[in-house]
Each structure stands twice: as C-alpha cells, then as structure tokens.
Amino acid sequence: MARRTEALSRERIVDAAVELLDTVGEGGLTFRALTERLATGAGAIYWHVANKGELLTAATDAVVGTALAAEPDGASPPDRVRAVALALFDAVDDHPWIAAQLSRGSGQVTTPRILESLGRQVRAMGVPRSEWFSVSTALVQYVVGAATQNAVNGTLPGPSTSREELLGAVAERWEELDPEEWPFTRAIAGQMRVHDDREQFLAGLDLVLTGIAALHPGT
C-alpha cells in the first residue's frame, strides 16, 4: 500500500481532478469519482488532499500556472502581457469551471500568482512605484474579468445551440428594441452577431495598455 500511495502523487490527483471538472463540472468532482478514475482508495487521496475545496484550488492553480508560463522570453513588456493574458483567456475558455473559482476569489495562491505575473510587466513598463497597485490591479481585473465573463457567456442554453445561434438570437433581440430609446445598441447589433471573442478581448487589452502608456509616457 505504501508503494501505491507514493505512486499516487498530488500531481496525478490534480490532473485527474482537472479531467473530471472538464467533463462533468464542479458538481461531478467527488472523491468517489476520483477513486474510480485513479483506481485507488479514498485514503490514498486524502493523504495528499484534505478536501474538495483544496482540490479545486489546486486544480485552478495548476491550469492558471500553465497559462502564466506562456510569457515569451525577449519580448517587450506589453507583448508579454498580451501573451499571458491571451493564454489565460484561452485557459478559462477551455476550462469554464475556472471562471467560478476566479470569480469567487478562491485560491490562496492563484490570484496573487496572476497579479505577480502581470505586475512584473507593469513595473518593467516603467510605471512609477506609487502607481503599481492601481495599474496592476486594473490590468488584472480586466484580464480575469473579461476571461471569466466570456466563459459565462459561452455557456450555451442547450446542447443543440451553437455559438452562432446564440449570438444571432441576442443580435435579433437588440435589433427589435425601440429605435428611439436604444439607438446605439441597435446600431451595433450586427457586430454582436459576427464578432470574435478573442479579438474583442485583445482589443480591450490594447485599450488598457494604450492607457497605461498615455498616462506614463516615459515608459
């Protein structure tokens, strides 16, 4: 049994948890399901992970940690921000359950890890130390907020509903609004119908980065 417990590492348990979360969601992540997937006893799992909350935190941190490693060597700070931000966006899109974890602020390590990664680039851009907190937290709030909101928006109402159908339905509702009360919303309804989520995310990120550069022109 000791040899079996050693083989069952915390990393293997977390990887299995991520697979379960991807297939059956948070509600399906149980220690019983894990024991079946890993072909082991519950005691061996509890040896590495105390409870479901700790397991969710570890799974979230594992996926986010992989995304943060996307920072390219030799790139400029803004390009590093774009690479990390897009990797986070894609990670949350691929693992929608992360959205709930990040929205809850759960994860004793995950949120500071994101702040550390993006904050270092804010510092490298030459932002004064007195502005590090406000600039870096605003950047984190945009990246995490936009990524999680996209994951929430991507939750389709039924298995037969495609993204195109969902966007088309939203655009149609906008187009049917009163033209005097909702002129702007009606005007962009066509763009809602055909927009690309990743391009929209990067456009917003560029607005934030341009704002940082404008406020701190010496960067």
Side-chain angles (χ1 to χ4, degrees):
M1 177 64 73
R3 184 180 306 170
R4 192 174 181 184
T5 302
E6 291 173 2
L8 185 65
S9 65
R10 180 181 173 90
E11 183 179 359
R12 277 191 60 206
I13 295 171
V14 171
D15 287 344
V18 170
E19 293 173 0
L20 273 173
L21 287 162
D22 287 343
T23 54
V24 295
E26 184 177 335
L29 178 63
T30 64
F31 275 60
R32 180 176 180 178
L34 272 178
T35 59
E36 294 176 355
R37 180 173 288 266
L38 293 168
T40 188
I45 296 177
Y46 279 114
W47 179 266
H48 297 280
V49 183
N51 50 53
K52 181 175 178 177
E54 181 182 335
L55 187 57
L56 279 168
T57 296
T60 302
D61 194 52
V63 174
V64 169
T66 299
L68 295 180
E71 180 183 314
D73 294 331
S76 68
D79 284 340
R80 291 175 186 167
V81 169
R82 291 185 184 92
V84 168
L86 192 57
L88 278 170
F89 180 89
D90 289 339
V92 178
D93 191 49
D94 292 338
H95 310 277
W97 51 270
I98 293 180
Q101 298 304 305
L102 295 178
S103 297
R104 294 171 187 159
S106 59
Q108 296 87 340
V109 180
T110 305
T111 301
R113 196 185 300 282
I114 297 172
L115 178 61
E116 180 69 23
S117 178
L118 295 178
R120 288 183 182 185
Q121 304 314 317
V122 168
R123 181 179 62 186
M125 290 171 68
V127 174
R129 186 186 185 98
S130 61
E131 300 296 323
W132 284 358
F133 177 81
S134 59
V135 173
S136 61
T137 54
L139 180 59
V140 170
Q141 286 172 2
Y142 170 74
V143 172
V144 174
T148 54
Q149 187 61 51
N150 175 74
V152 172
N153 292 342
T155 304
L156 301 178
S160 61
T161 304
S162 68
R163 180 180 180 277
E164 289 73 18
E165 291 171 332
L166 179 63
L167 293 180
V170 173
E172 186 175 343
R173 287 197 298 269
W174 288 7
E175 290 167 344
E176 293 173 350
L177 293 171
D178 186 297
E180 294 186 2
E181 187 176 0
W182 308 92
F184 180 81
T185 303
R186 283 170 50 88
I188 64 171
Q191 296 175 22
M192 160 59 78
R193 191 187 303 273
V194 298
H195 82 277
D196 181 273
D197 293 328
R198 293 172 93 249
E199 290 179 1
Q200 180 190 25
F201 174 74
L202 287 174
L205 181 61
D206 282 340
L207 286 175
V208 176
L209 292 174
T210 300
I212 294 174
L215 288 172
H216 306 286
T219 57

